[in-house]
Amino acid sequence: MWSKLALFIIKNRRLLLLLLAAITVFMAWKAKDVEMTYDFAQVVRPDDPDMVYFQRFKKQFGEDGNVLVLGLQDSSIYRLGNFNELRTLTDTLGKVQGVSGVLSITKLIRLDKDTANRQFQAVPIFRTFPQTQAQLDSLMQIVNQQEFYKGQLISPRTGATLLALTMDPKYLNSSRRQAVMDKILGHAERFSKKTGIRLHYAGLPYVRSTMTSKVAGEMKFFVLLTVLIMGATLLMFFRSWAAVVFPLLIVLIVVVWCIGSMVLLGFKISLLTGLIPSILIVIGIPNCTYLLSRYHYDYRKSGNQVLAMTRVVRKIGLVTLMNNTTTAIGFFVFCFTNIAILYEFGLVATINIFAAFVISFIMIPAIFTYLPPPTPKQLEHLDAKPLTKLLEFFEHLVLERRGTVYILALALVGLSALSITRVKAISYMVDDLPKDSSVNADLSFFEQHFNGIMPLEIVVDTGRKKGILKLKNLERIDRLENYLRTQPELTAPVSIVTFLKAATQTFYNGEPDYYRLPDNSEKNFILSYLARSQGNGGPMNSKLLRSFVDDSSQQARISLKVADIGSRNLDTLLANKIQPQIREIFNGTGMDVRMTGTTIIFTKGNEYLINTLKESLAWAFGLVGLVVLLLFRSVRAVFFTLLPNLVTLVLTGGLMGLFGIPLKPSTALIFSIALGIDGDNSIHLLAKFRQELASNGRHVRAAISTTLREAGTSMIYTSITLFLGFAVFAFSEFGGTKALGLLMSASLLITNFSNLILLPSLLVTFEHGVDEEIDRSGLRHYDDQYHEEDDDVELNLDKMQVKRLNS
């Protein structure tokens, strides 16, 4: 089959190249419509009980993650001129399309008691804007008496203040979000230039916008840098511009197909799928390296371009297809998950890995049979002395020092196993951004002055209509809120209780000491005032009620913010501190209290993602083993393939523990991908070994020597190429992407030990060469001794036919 395929490609190369060009133009036309994703990935399953409850919460009380905050700490803001600029900024931001509301110190309201109408009225504190510094100072005294805002809008400890912008969800989850964010940041920067006051930014809308911009920028940067590094690597190996330009052209075509396929599949570019173009360049180059290395080797033997190239396709076509299949398996296993981001990542990568195989197997034979043959200088890489010496050293270890190899392998595995116990599964909301980024710096500002900014929600369900209005239930909620205030990781809570406290303070003419729940004798007066205030723009209008109490007054929402303390610390806070307090306060009351919110769902999603990736790794082992079993029809071959790669993964995990790299979705992703890529080398070496074993009288040591000399070269070339390619990701600003690059690069170095030293040692020890019959029909494509003479006659005849077509 492969012989016929080779002849077909060479005889129809013009037509095939035109077909590839047409498909590429179509894919480029589709690629122009690619979009970025503007929402956090949905990781938790839709039918998960916590996700179902969270969706129900949002329908009842509204979004919890659509607030953008601008914070500042500068006493000069209370000078009249700067305060006037703050008012202007607040008014300007409120008019930005996509901003549904702005709360700042210049727009604060207080409650006034209308004794005549027995109701409360919401009155702006700055109803008449101050004209003198004395007027401003007087109004600020009124602001400081409003206990409701302490810890919410003003930090009682440091005096820092913030502006809270409520974003329209329609803009947040669309391509219009970036334009809205640019306008907001532009107005904020102009304010800072005028006043000299620095502003800090936080909130999920800001984090999402920043990450989206960085993903787009890094995608372009990585493609460019990868192309440059791969070009330099190819030039170093082959010393030919043709061997640089055309492989790079091939992988760039693959990139165009990749982006076009995303559009065709209806996918958008996310943090994960944004890595695929660069990964495909890295993975696609070895296909070209394999083909060109073998082409040079066969051309030096035959002196005939067409004959050499056709032998290349025939001899390594199947093994290269299997190599690409195992690489694709590392990504394809993510398609078994019901997590959208993993499914999209796996499907797009899998499709385009095979596309890269097809494109390279058409373009390399078609183009290089048109070009002049390689010169003797360009063939010198086949006899590179440093590489030869290295392979001779590997051969010495395998044949003469296997005991040392096994002891070293066991020692490294043992140390790595101990190191793996130090690996902790932990993730943060802004985990992928560097510690010294402006986002993390601003996040630290809000955690220092307001204890946190990440949303956390608690819902109290009394189980009966108007149960929230009972004083005993309100007192229980107040007890819980008082406890929450003692936790340094949490902000002051906001709920119906805090509104009632503010109403009581107003009832007693604004005295701060009366910021408390009404007692039994006061309750009816306070509630009657509140009831009359509804519909008149008062504090308890229907919109506000829906935000904190459901329509039947059965459920109440406690809204607060939490610091980005990491998933482990958050679990400790929720399970060991807050939950026991909830049980103590509400036990035996029949009331149901549940915690929810974006932060909890995000943390649970990461845990779910890590567990899913563990399952994907098991699938990857099974599928790689199945491919090896189908290719070699030997259970022993499966053992020889998987064991060295298991060692590679254990050593890679050991490096994670050694350097304190946590287990999180981005690092858990590495193992399945590494298994797929590293499995290529095992299959390549094992295939060559079995062919040599069959061709030299089943002498294992001789077969190993030949295998290391001939297969080792291309394996080292491939490892170097992949190492340099994945090392590019170490320049990422995202912690997860950087970890992916560093650990994948380390894995590719380790796999040289596993597949060029440990695997051959196992073969020498356990493959005796006499107790297993080798099916030679599957080996003919590996070496010249298994061509039939008629094949070469056919090739020569077809070569003549090609000449006539070109003449």
Side-chain angles (χ1 to χ4, degrees):
M1 183 190 90
W2 291 96
S3 296
K4 292 179 181 179
L5 179 62
L7 292 172
F8 175 81
I9 290 172
I10 294 175
K11 288 169 65 176
N12 300 281
R13 51 192 173 182
R14 291 179 181 175
L15 179 61
L16 291 172
L17 289 175
L18 286 174
L19 179 61
L20 287 180
I23 296 174
T24 303
V25 169
F26 172 74
M27 285 296 194
W29 179 69
K30 298 301 292 184
K32 66 180 175 56
D33 299 324
V34 71
E35 297 179 7
M36 303 290 298
T37 182
Y38 294 94
D39 197 5
F40 269 157
Q42 194 85 310
V43 175
V44 180
R45 294 170 51 178
D47 58 350
D48 179 86
D50 288 333
M51 176 58 77
V52 171
Y53 187 82
F54 180 54
Q55 296 298 337
R56 192 162 65 239
F57 166 85
K58 290 198 293 184
K59 284 183 179 180
Q60 177 63 54
F61 297 109
E63 292 282 344
D64 71 330
N66 62 336
V67 177
L68 167 67
V69 291
L70 286 67
L72 60 96
Q73 186 198 24
D74 194 321
S75 59
S76 67
I77 192 61
Y78 300 112
R79 297 174 189 164
L80 185 61
N82 288 341
F83 198 79
N84 191 48
E85 291 295 337
L86 181 63
R87 180 187 68 163
T88 302
L89 174 64
T90 301
D91 294 340
T92 302
L93 293 178
K95 297 175 183 177
V96 173
Q97 195 170 19
V99 176
S100 56
V102 181
L103 180 64
S104 87
I105 197 170
T106 65
K107 283 187 170 292
L108 293 186
I109 61 170
R110 63 184 176 90
L111 299 182
D112 271 358
K113 182 172 65 172
D114 183 352
T115 307
N117 296 312
R118 297 173 65 85
Q119 68 179 21
F120 295 117
Q121 290 184 339
V123 179
I125 293 177
F126 296 93
R127 180 187 302 178
T128 302
F129 208 77
Q131 301 299 312
T132 65
Q133 186 65 44
Q135 290 176 349
L136 174 60
D137 293 342
S138 176
L139 289 171
M140 284 305 302
Q141 288 180 359
I142 297 175
V143 170
N144 291 328
Q145 291 174 352
Q146 309 304 309
E147 297 291 327
F148 177 85
Y149 296 113
K150 290 183 179 179
Q152 300 293 337
L153 208 63
I154 303 171
S155 171
R157 295 180 290 105
T158 64
T161 186
L162 56 80
L163 289 80
L165 283 66
T166 303
M167 310 294 292
D168 186 341
K170 295 179 181 178
Y171 284 79
L172 276 182
N173 301 325
S174 73
S175 58
R176 295 178 292 177
R177 178 174 64 186
Q178 195 57 50
V180 175
M181 292 300 303
D182 290 342
K183 288 181 181 179
I184 292 172
L185 296 179
H187 292 313
E189 288 172 5
R190 284 189 284 275
F191 167 82
S192 294
K193 286 181 180 179
K194 282 185 179 181
T195 62
I197 296 174
R198 180 186 174 186
L199 290 174
H200 302 267
Y201 311 94
L204 293 184
Y206 178 67
V207 172
R208 293 173 183 176
S209 175
T210 302
M211 293 183 71
T212 301
S213 300
K214 288 184 180 295
V215 166
E218 286 201 350
M219 180 178 168
K220 298 172 185 175
F221 169 73
F222 285 145
V223 168
L224 177 61
L225 186 58
T226 305
V227 166
L228 292 175
I229 290 178
M230 292 297 98
T233 305
L234 289 169
L235 185 61
M236 178 182 67
F237 286 162
F238 296 106
R239 305 174 190 180
S240 166
W241 285 109
V244 174
V245 173
F246 292 106
L248 290 181
L249 176 62
I250 288 170
V251 294
L252 289 176
I253 289 173
V254 174
V255 169
V256 173
W257 285 32
C258 170
I259 299 175
S261 65
M262 287 188 200
V263 177
L264 291 173
L265 292 168
F267 300 159
K268 296 180 180 181
I269 295 176
S270 65
L271 182 60
L272 270 184
T273 54
L275 298 177
I276 296 178
S278 299
I279 290 176
L280 288 173
I281 293 174
V282 176
I283 293 174
I285 288 295
N287 282 338
C288 303
T289 304
Y290 272 133
L291 289 168
L292 289 176
S293 296
R294 192 68 201 192
Y295 167 60
H296 286 181
Y297 177 80
D298 279 311
Y299 175 77
R300 186 167 68 174
K301 292 181 67 174
S302 67
N304 186 315
Q305 280 183 276
V306 175
L307 181 63
M309 189 60 79
T310 312
R311 284 179 173 178
V312 167
V313 175
R314 183 176 62 208
K315 288 186 290 187
I316 69 170
L318 179 59
V319 72
T320 307
L321 176 60
M322 291 300 102
N323 287 344
N324 279 264
T325 300
T326 56
T327 299
I329 283 172
F331 296 90
F332 179 66
V333 291
F334 302 135
C335 296
F336 294 133
T337 71
N338 57 0
I339 299 175
I341 53 169
L342 284 184
Y343 174 80
E344 293 175 7
F345 177 72
L347 184 60
V348 172
T350 300
I351 291 172
N352 287 283
I353 285 170
F354 286 112
F357 169 78
V358 172
I359 294 170
S360 60
F361 259 72
I362 291 176
M363 290 188 66
I364 291 292
I367 291 173
F368 280 85
T369 51
Y370 266 127
L371 296 175
T375 64
K377 184 177 181 180
Q378 293 169 354
L379 298 177
E380 289 177 357
H381 70 92
L382 297 172
D383 301 310
K385 289 185 178 180
L387 192 57
T388 303
K389 292 291 184 183
L390 180 62
L391 291 172
E392 288 176 356
F393 173 66
F394 288 169
E395 182 179 343
H396 171 73
L397 291 176
V398 170
L399 298 180
E400 308 299 336
R401 293 287 185 269
R402 288 192 306 284
T404 303
V405 171
Y406 294 147
I407 291 173
L408 179 61
L410 288 172
L412 290 175
V413 168
L415 291 173
S416 296
L418 289 175
S419 184
I420 287 174
T421 60
R422 299 174 55 190
V423 177
K424 297 179 180 179
I426 185 170
S427 55
Y428 294 83
M429 288 286 283
V430 291
D431 193 39
D432 278 314
L433 293 172
K435 296 298 181 184
D436 57 351
S437 71
S438 59
V439 174
N440 274 309
D442 286 349
L443 186 63
S444 297
F445 170 87
F446 288 99
E447 290 179 353
Q448 176 185 353
H449 297 284
F450 294 94
N451 292 2
I453 203 65
M454 300 303 174
L456 178 65
E457 305 288 344
I458 301 175
V459 177
V460 178
D461 187 349
T462 61
R464 60 185 64 183
K465 291 182 178 182
K466 297 187 178 181
I468 288 298
L469 301 181
K470 291 192 173 183
L471 188 58
K472 287 185 178 180
N473 293 337
L474 291 170
E475 288 173 346
R476 289 188 179 95
I477 295 174
D478 188 34
R479 282 180 57 194
L480 176 60
E481 290 187 3
N482 289 334
Y483 174 78
L484 295 174
R485 287 187 181 89
T486 66
Q487 302 305 306
E489 304 92 347
L490 300 174
T491 63
V494 179
S495 72
I496 182 63
V497 168
T498 51
F499 284 106
L500 285 173
K501 288 181 176 181
T504 306
Q505 182 183 2
T506 301
F507 191 78
Y508 286 98
N509 302 317
E511 288 294 329
D513 291 342
Y514 286 94
Y515 182 75
R516 57 169 175 77
L517 280 175
D519 58 29
N520 271 324
S521 61
E522 301 162 334
K523 188 182 85 166
N524 291 334
F525 287 101
I526 303 294
L527 290 178
S528 65
Y529 268 59
L530 286 172
R532 294 188 184 94
S533 302
Q534 295 188 46
N536 297 317
M540 295 298 290
N541 60 49
S542 58
K543 183 177 179 180
L544 187 59
L545 274 175
R546 283 198 302 270
S547 296
F548 291 93
V549 180
D550 70 340
D551 296 335
S552 63
S553 297
Q554 176 177 316
Q555 296 180 347
R557 167 192 183 186
I558 304 173
S559 184
L560 59 160
K561 302 291 189 293
V562 61
D564 192 14
I565 55 178
S567 55
R568 291 174 65 89
N569 290 332
L570 182 63
D571 286 341
T572 300
L573 174 65
L574 300 181
N576 298 342
K577 294 182 179 180
I578 298 179
Q579 284 287 11
Q581 195 69 24
I582 289 174
R583 286 193 294 269
E584 179 182 333
I585 295 172
F586 294 93
N587 190 33
T589 64
M591 300 168 66
D592 180 46
V593 182
R594 293 190 63 170
M595 289 181 284
T596 187
T598 300
T599 302
I600 290 179
I601 295 298
F602 179 85
T603 304
K604 180 170 185 175
N606 279 343
E607 295 173 359
Y608 181 71
L609 195 56
I610 289 171
N611 292 331
T612 301
L613 290 171
K614 291 176 182 177
E615 296 175 7
S616 298
L617 181 60
W619 272 105
F621 267 104
L623 290 176
V624 170
L626 180 61
V627 169
V628 174
L629 186 62
L630 293 174
L631 181 62
F632 297 112
R633 302 174 189 177
S634 167
V635 175
R636 182 179 294 177
V638 175
F639 167 77
F640 287 139
T641 300
L642 295 183
L643 181 60
N645 290 292
L646 178 60
V647 170
T648 299
L649 297 184
V650 171
L651 296 185
T652 303
L655 290 177
M656 289 179 62
L658 181 64
F659 293 104
I661 300 174
L663 183 65
K664 50 188 178 181
S666 53
T667 52
L669 192 75
I670 292 165
F671 294 95
S672 295
I673 298 175
L675 177 61
I677 293 176
D678 295 346
D680 295 354
N681 286 328
S682 300
I683 291 176
H684 188 65
L685 186 136
L686 191 58
K688 182 62 177 175
F689 167 75
R690 288 170 68 83
Q691 180 274 317
E692 290 297 330
L693 190 64
S695 65
N696 63 23
R698 305 180 69 79
H699 295 292
V700 173
R701 296 172 69 90
I704 285 292
S705 296
T706 305
T707 299
L708 286 175
R709 287 196 302 270
E710 295 190 11
T713 301
S714 59
M715 289 171 64
I716 290 177
Y717 278 179
T718 302
S719 295
I720 292 173
T721 302
L722 291 170
F723 170 81
L724 294 174
F726 278 104
V728 166
F729 296 127
F731 295 100
S732 174
E733 287 191 68
F734 295 105
T737 306
K738 183 177 294 186
L740 172 69
L742 292 174
L743 289 174
M744 278 301 303
S745 297
S747 171
L748 291 163
L749 288 180
I750 296 170
T751 197
N752 280 318
F753 164 78
S754 299
N755 286 312
L756 287 174
I757 300 177
L758 180 58
L759 175 55
S761 297
L762 292 171
L763 291 172
V764 173
T765 301
F766 296 104
E767 183 65 77
H768 303 298
V770 294
D771 57 354
E772 183 179 0
E773 184 65 28
I774 297 177
D775 183 1
R776 296 190 177 193
S777 64
L779 299 170
R780 288 181 54 213
H781 52 277
Y782 294 126
D783 197 67
D784 299 332
Q785 296 181 30
Y786 284 87
H787 308 162
E788 293 181 4
E789 216 173 287
D790 291 341
D791 290 337
D792 285 343
V793 172
E794 181 187 353
L795 294 177
N796 287 326
L797 290 173
D798 279 288
K799 171 181 177 290
M800 293 170 60
Q801 190 175 13
V802 170
K803 279 189 173 181
R804 285 194 294 271
L805 287 172
N806 292 339
S807 60

